[in-house]
């Protein structure tokens, strides 16, 4: 079972909202909306995605990494994997 399993429905709801935001941005560009208004919506969608990513990372650390530590094996790999994900998140 994945660490986010107990929050799956909440993540799916958030992602549906973000999907709607992105479709709205597409519509704004199609209709020739003001640049700053489009950029504002892109910033909001980006922030929403970052919040989902942070929630998933929290779930991963609390569940997957914690389980690996408790079982005594593979914790180094799980921590390295989590750090790579953090680096990707920070880079973008």
């Amino acid at each position: 079972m994945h660490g986010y399993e107990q929050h799956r429905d909440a993540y799916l709801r958030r992602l549906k909202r973000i999907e709607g935001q992105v479709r709205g941005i597409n519509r704004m560009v199609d209709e020739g909306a003001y640049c700053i208004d489009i950029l504002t919506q892109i910033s909001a969608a980006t922030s929403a995605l970052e919040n989902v990513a942070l929630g998933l990372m929290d779930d991963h650390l609390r569940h997957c990494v914690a389980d690996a530590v408790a079982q005594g094996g593979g914790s180094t790999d799980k921590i390295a994997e989590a750090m790579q994900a953090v680096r990707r998140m920070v880079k973008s």
Side-chain angles (χ1 to χ4, degrees):
M1 183 162 84
H2 297 291
Y4 63 84
E5 191 65 36
Q6 63 191 32
H7 301 120
R8 179 188 295 248
D9 291 339
Y11 287 128
L12 289 172
R13 281 191 303 274
R14 285 183 188 173
L15 290 168
K16 281 237 183 258
R17 269 189 304 230
I18 295 166
E19 182 182 5
Q21 280 181 292
V22 172
R23 273 190 260 115
I25 294 166
N26 185 53
R27 193 169 32 257
M28 290 174 77
V29 171
D30 186 48
E31 295 171 357
Y34 184 56
C35 300
I36 297 300
D37 294 339
I38 297 169
L39 291 169
T40 299
Q41 291 306 310
I42 290 172
S43 177
T46 300
S47 178
L49 279 171
E50 287 171 351
N51 284 328
V52 170
L54 288 172
L56 286 167
M57 178 59 70
D58 185 66
D59 287 340
H60 179 68
L61 293 172
R62 291 178 190 277
H63 182 266
C64 301
V65 174
D67 282 354
V69 169
Q71 292 176 13
S75 60
T76 302
D77 292 339
K78 288 290 183 187
I79 291 169
E81 181 182 57
M83 283 307 302
Q84 285 178 330
V86 169
R87 283 187 194 97
R88 284 191 302 268
M89 286 171 47
V90 170
K91 203 189 290 188
S92 60

